[in-house]
Amino acid sequence: MAPTNVDYSLYLVTDSTSAILGDRDLVKVVQAAVDGGVTIVQYRDKVSDTAVLVSTAKRLHAVTQKHKIPLLINDRVDVALAVGCEGVHIGQDDLDLPSARRLLGRDAMIGVTVSNVEEAQKACRESADYLGVGTMFATATLAKVTASKTNTKGIIGTAGTKKILQAIAESGRDVRTVSIGGINASTVQRVLFQSSAPEKKLDGVAIVSAIIAAQDPKQAAKDLLSLVKSPPPFAAASLANTQKATDVETLLKKAPTVIKEVGSKTPLSHNMTNLVVQNFAANVALAVGGSPIMANYGEEAKDLCKLGGALVINMGTVTPEGLQNYAQALKAYNLEGGSVVLDPVGGGATAIRRGAVKTLLAAGYFDVIKGNEGEIKTVFGTVVQQKGVDSGASTLSDPQKATLVRDLAARERNVVVMTGATDFVSDGQRTFAIKNGHELLGRITGSGCVLGTTISLMLAVCREDKLLAAVAGLLHYEIAAEIAAEREDVKGPGTFVPALIDELYNVQKATSGGDISWLKRAKVE
Ligand code: 3NM
Ligand code: MG
């Protein structure tokens, strides 16, 4: 039997193309990486002659043996046999697993590259010891060495990886897994967090360039290992807390506390939002009790993210430059642990926006994704045609909407809010429907956008339960809208806007003063 106690946490894959290694000696680089804490090494060399492969592998094996970690050879069973190292890693277009197993014997470790559920299940049936699951993100490393290969594998992201893990869990087979492709210090924690299925986690990450190409491979490995071992900053609070509101009664009891805290802490709501709603969003943030800043320049986020607030990325008037700014800010907030709301405005309206949604989901972690039916479907990957930023024709029943928000939230491991006559909100486990709000919200511009701003403020003060934050934001906003719409001085959409701002302010003031009579209107189930 191949050893079962192998530590896959930080799996180094070598690359011998000069673009990555430079003029440095591979064995020295690997030695440094192993000193830094790499837990397993794969020698991957697609270009050298067999004699060079064998002699390099022998030198590498001396390094890994000293540290009692396994050395595997990519693709070349003959080289592994010649060196007597621990095993091989085979791709889908390499020697098949049963043949490799016959040649190497039962004690050898054999890993297989898989990029979909079928490949994973096959490798499990054939008793692979572990799977290299990828490609996680687009990576220049793979392109360089496999340019000659005919089968270009897909980018499967965290969602595709989770699907594979789920299937392995369901099959009941025991196999270790590592994710590979474009993983580095700024993505590794999110990869591990978002890819994990409830019953099966990744065992580690496989990395080429983030270690091999690093100035200091030892330090790079050390840093990566410590990131692998700790929860991502954006999830630390929610993972630590076990006391979450699971029923409506508790949610309604806790929501005013969140609203009150916004009033007392005046958190920052950093909006990178569209040209239409900037002024409205800033006014709403103030009325709800927060402190708004409209800052679309991504570079500023590295300072703003340190102020304890939350970020709203609203792609309502997206441009190529804007998209880069969003991604930059998103990374800064993720690193700091600040909350981020995505408002994928008009996500299903154009090809550009569908692409922008994909780019943003791959660029970082969103604590909350909020949109109308068409937008949420688009984020999920359903192709819809939105008419402008309106939701487009509704095709889903209420139970289907509830299922969609739950599935998307479970996939992203975050909170999803779908707005409509009934709003649906879920964190993948808890799903609620909220029937508050008013028809006039559909008659003014930006009513959805400023809900995103409202939720961001709740998130800033309630990181331990993001679903509760979203519900508190929805209730504050929609009940204020109801009260505003009923006012005698409100004659239509035009007079509704200032009344809404007033009532958002009044709900905040009342709640902070201990009067939560407005909450009697709450219709949550
Ligand atoms: N295999 P980096 S991606 C060797 O998807 C390899 O199977 C992949 O390099 C797969 O860490 C990849 O520099 C390269 O992105 C990973
Ligand atoms: Mg291969």
Side-chain angles (χ1 to χ4, degrees):
M1 273 290 287
T4 50
N5 59 345
V6 175
D7 181 357
Y8 287 94
S9 311
L10 187 57
Y11 182 137
L12 175 67
V13 182
T14 71
D15 188 279
S16 40
T17 55
S18 57
I20 289 175
L21 187 60
D23 55 6
R24 295 174 298 173
D25 175 42
L26 179 66
V27 180
K28 284 199 182 126
V29 171
V30 171
Q31 172 76 64
V34 171
D35 288 342
V38 159
T39 61
I40 173 169
V41 177
Q42 177 194 138
Y43 175 38
R44 182 174 195 270
D45 182 341
K46 297 280 189 192
V47 293
S48 299
D49 290 334
T50 304
V52 175
L53 292 178
V54 172
S55 74
T56 309
K58 279 185 177 158
R59 291 165 64 210
L60 290 173
H61 201 209
V63 171
T64 58
Q65 279 183 307
K66 215 169 44 197
H67 283 80
K68 298 190 168 52
I69 63 172
L71 174 71
L72 309 178
I73 311 293
N74 183 279
D75 194 357
R76 298 288 298 266
V77 174
D78 55 339
V79 175
L81 280 168
V83 174
C85 65
E86 286 66 29
V88 293
H89 180 88
I90 54 184
Q92 289 294 325
D93 44 3
D94 298 338
L95 184 65
D96 62 286
L97 175 52
S99 301
R101 180 63 74 193
R102 266 197 305 281
L103 289 164
L104 288 165
R106 287 175 50 197
D107 294 345
M109 285 176 62
I110 304 184
V112 179
T113 297
V114 302
S115 15
N116 57 49
V117 167
E118 292 69 38
E119 288 173 0
Q121 283 169 334
K122 179 160 182 280
C124 285
R125 280 197 305 274
E126 296 177 346
S127 300
D129 294 295
Y130 77 90
L131 308 179
V133 184
T135 303
M136 177 53 70
F137 303 122
T139 167
T141 304
L142 192 61
K144 272 180 207 114
V145 284
T146 56
S148 61
K149 282 194 175 181
T150 46
N151 64 331
T152 43
K153 277 178 305 199
I155 309 294
I156 61 171
T158 54
T161 302
K162 177 175 284 186
K163 231 187 237 170
I164 290 172
L165 293 173
Q166 203 112 42
I168 296 170
E170 279 159 19
S171 78
R173 290 193 185 259
D174 192 27
V175 67
R176 305 295 94 195
T177 54
V178 294
S179 172
I180 184 160
I183 299 170
N184 56 39
S186 75
T187 56
V188 62
Q189 290 181 303
R190 181 169 70 86
V191 163
L192 291 168
F193 178 77
Q194 279 193 303
S195 301
S196 283
E199 291 90 29
K200 182 139 185 84
K201 293 186 185 353
L202 285 168
D203 294 284
V205 288
I207 287 176
V208 182
S209 54
I211 295 175
I212 303 280
Q215 288 274 354
D216 183 346
K218 181 177 171 182
Q219 191 60 45
K222 212 170 157 185
D223 293 345
L224 282 161
L225 188 64
S226 103
L227 290 168
V228 167
K229 302 275 183 204
S230 47
F234 55 76
S238 61
L239 286 174
N241 186 302
T242 47
Q243 287 292 307
K244 296 206 171 70
T246 50
D247 57 286
V248 173
E249 201 186 330
T250 319
L251 266 182
L252 291 180
K253 220 174 99 203
K254 286 186 168 181
T257 325
V258 180
I259 293 167
K260 202 168 162 178
E261 221 173 315
V262 169
S264 64
K265 289 193 175 155
T266 325
L268 186 74
S269 177
H270 172 184
N271 285 234
M272 302 180 91
T273 194
N274 66 72
L275 302 169
V276 185
V277 304
Q278 299 205 6
N279 176 280
F280 188 23
N283 273 320
V284 166
L286 285 166
V288 171
S291 164
I293 182 165
M294 305 288 127
N296 288 322
Y297 186 19
E299 195 70 29
E300 286 183 291
K302 65 176 191 285
D303 293 335
L304 293 173
C305 72
K306 296 202 162 55
L307 304 178
L311 172 68
V312 179
I313 294 179
N314 175 312
M315 44 170 264
T317 45
V318 68
T319 60
E321 195 196 351
L323 199 50
Q324 278 172 13
N325 282 312
Y326 303 156
Q328 188 180 10
L330 176 60
K331 285 204 174 83
Y333 273 78
N334 280 177
L335 210 59
E336 188 63 30
S339 300
V340 189
V341 178
L342 173 64
D343 196 337
V345 178
T350 64
I352 291 291
R353 284 181 195 229
R354 280 187 281 271
V357 166
K358 280 201 183 124
T359 302
L360 287 172
L361 288 183
Y365 177 76
F366 292 96
D367 299 84
V368 173
I369 300 175
K370 178 214 72 72
N372 58 34
E373 182 179 329
E375 288 155 0
I376 295 301
K377 280 179 185 158
T378 301
V379 175
F380 191 69
T382 313
V383 178
V384 295
Q385 183 55 57
Q386 281 186 259
K387 182 170 152 239
V389 299
D390 294 346
S391 190
S394 172
T395 59
L396 301 181
S397 65
D398 279 1
Q400 287 173 322
K401 287 178 187 170
T403 303
L404 175 62
V405 296
R406 186 203 62 199
D407 289 351
L408 181 58
R411 188 187 86 185
E412 298 299 317
R413 242 183 133 182
N414 66 0
V415 170
V416 173
V417 177
M418 186 198 285
T419 54
T422 302
D423 310 306
F424 292 88
V425 51
S426 179
D427 69 353
Q429 274 138 17
R430 302 169 288 168
T431 305
F432 296 98
I434 299 179
K435 293 200 163 120
N436 289 103
H438 193 274
E439 181 264 336
L440 277 176
L441 286 171
R443 306 267 165 203
I444 61 170
T445 190
S447 61
C449 302
V450 301
L451 171 62
T453 302
T454 304
I455 291 174
S456 77
L457 292 166
M458 308 290 160
L459 275 173
V461 300
C462 183
R463 289 183 194 188
E464 66 282 1
D465 189 347
K466 295 166 189 179
L467 180 102
L468 168 63
V471 170
L474 276 158
L475 290 173
H476 184 160
Y477 184 75
E478 297 199 315
I479 292 177
E482 289 174 16
I483 299 170
E486 287 167 14
R487 273 171 36 168
E488 274 183 18
D489 56 335
V490 171
K491 314 277 187 224
T495 40
F496 175 63
V497 175
L500 173 61
I501 296 173
D502 286 349
E503 297 309 328
L504 286 167
Y505 172 77
N506 287 336
V507 166
Q508 167 55 242
K509 212 167 67 172
T511 310
S512 290
D515 170 10
I516 54 165
S517 51
W518 60 272
L519 196 58
K520 289 198 194 92
R521 292 169 175 263
K523 290 185 218 133
V524 185
E525 54 196 53

